[in-house]
Amino acid sequence: MSRITFTVEEENLICMYHNSDRRRTIAGISAVLQDMDADMRPLAEQTIHKLHNMTDAAFEEAQFNMTLSDTE
């Protein structure tokens, strides 16, 4: 299985809803999908899809970092 890569935006989303494991992180993002605006929902769905396709071991090994913008 090839390594799954995440965009900066996807990693930021994962960091916001990161829980103790992959399944709980997916559940956290899924729980707020209906409250997301139309621009954010496709990003969340794409991120959930990628999380579903990775193994628990790969999730635990991954280092997700929140990246903030320099602009004010």
Side-chain angles (χ1 to χ4, degrees), residues 43-71:
L43 173 69
E45 290 169 344
Q46 178 177 307
T47 304
I48 290 169
H49 179 74
K50 286 183 178 183
L51 289 169
H52 272 296
N53 287 323
M54 71 187 311
T55 64
D56 290 332
F59 180 83
E60 289 190 25
E61 289 176 11
Q63 303 234 342
F64 300 107
N65 300 301
M66 180 69 84
T67 303
L68 304 174
S69 173
D70 294 2
T71 59

Side-chain angles (χ1 to χ4, degrees), residues 13-29 59-60 64:
L13 186 64
I14 291 168
C15 287
M16 289 171 54
Y17 295 97
H18 192 278
N19 209 315
S20 59
D21 61 35
R22 182 179 61 90
R23 288 182 180 92
R24 288 185 179 140
T25 301
I26 291 169
I29 298 170
F59 180 83
E60 289 190 25
F64 300 107

